[in-house]
Amino acid sequence: MGMAAPQYSADRQFLWSLFQKVDRDRSGEISAAELQAALSNGTWTPFNAETVRLMIGMFDRNNTGTINFEEFQALWKYVTDWQACFRSFDRDNSGNIDRNELKTALTTFGYRVSDGFYDLLMKKFDRSAQGIIHFDDFIQCCVVLHTLTAAFRQHDTDLDGIVTVSYEQFLTMVLSLKI
């Protein structure tokens, strides 16, 4: 039992040193711009600003628009978990996800959608217009789908995959989401 504490301490120390590097202005909080500069999508291009904004919003418990060290630890685990997930579905180890790999990933997550919907997802989240989705865009795609699905399920009380909502209910549902 005594062995677990040093490992936790070493992990915490690693994350603290990383946090300090990312917190360029030494404010004790990490902004979206600081986080974006610290993250890599594997393409030598800036991490998707919209994905960074989404993640800050998910972990910013006090709604400051920034994350403190405790929030950063949770965000770091989240990104690391997504990276492992991304790599597991990048079957050809290309560093990106193609349409078939995306379909495999989302089917594994439990989504049952048409081929036409996958075309729409590729059009929306393939920022490079090369028929592939990079790591940062994959996170955004999955977070947006999860958020929209959760909102839909609140109205799908009988779990039949169909909801009846008024136009205003629909607008309220979509516009109140953090996406």
Side-chain angles (χ1 to χ4, degrees), residues 6-35:
Q7 181 61 42
Y8 172 76
S9 177
D11 289 347
R12 189 172 168 89
Q13 189 59 45
F14 166 75
L15 287 177
W16 176 245
S17 67
L18 189 60
F19 180 85
Q20 289 178 309
K21 287 179 188 155
V22 176
D23 181 20
R24 291 187 173 162
D25 65 0
R26 300 283 179 252
S27 65
E29 299 273 327
I30 292 177
S31 68
E34 288 171 327
L35 184 60

Side-chain angles (χ1 to χ4, degrees), residues 28 31 36 39 60-62 86 89 96 103 107 110 138 161 167 174:
S31 68
Q36 182 182 23
L39 293 173
D60 175 19
R61 301 286 177 240
N62 53 2
F86 181 82
F89 290 110
N96 54 61
K103 187 173 182 177
T107 301
F138 178 72
Y167 180 61
V174 172

Side-chain angles (χ1 to χ4, degrees), residues 114-131:
S114 69
D115 283 340
F117 189 75
Y118 284 108
D119 294 338
L120 180 63
L121 288 175
M122 290 302 295
K123 187 175 181 182
K124 173 119 180 98
F125 295 103
D126 172 16
R127 286 188 304 146
S128 65
Q130 297 176 332

Side-chain angles (χ1 to χ4, degrees), residues 82-90 95-97 133-135 138:
W82 270 118
Q83 195 170 42
C85 175
F86 181 82
R87 286 184 178 144
S88 74
F89 290 110
D90 178 14
N96 54 61
I97 299 276
I133 295 179
H134 295 290
F135 175 56
F138 178 72

Side-chain angles (χ1 to χ4, degrees), residues 15-79:
L15 287 177
W16 176 245
S17 67
L18 189 60
F19 180 85
Q20 289 178 309
K21 287 179 188 155
V22 176
D23 181 20
R24 291 187 173 162
D25 65 0
R26 300 283 179 252
S27 65
E29 299 273 327
I30 292 177
S31 68
E34 288 171 327
L35 184 60
Q36 182 182 23
L39 293 173
S40 169
N41 65 5
T43 64
W44 301 104
T45 58
F47 211 84
N48 182 334
E50 198 55 28
T51 305
V52 172
R53 185 190 65 77
L54 272 173
M55 291 191 310
I56 291 274
M58 291 169 67
F59 292 95
D60 175 19
R61 301 286 177 240
N62 53 2
N63 291 320
T64 60
T66 58
I67 53 172
N68 62 27
F69 179 59
E70 297 303 317
E71 295 163 336
F72 175 74
Q73 289 179 92
L75 184 142
W76 185 261
K77 181 182 181 336
Y78 182 79
V79 171

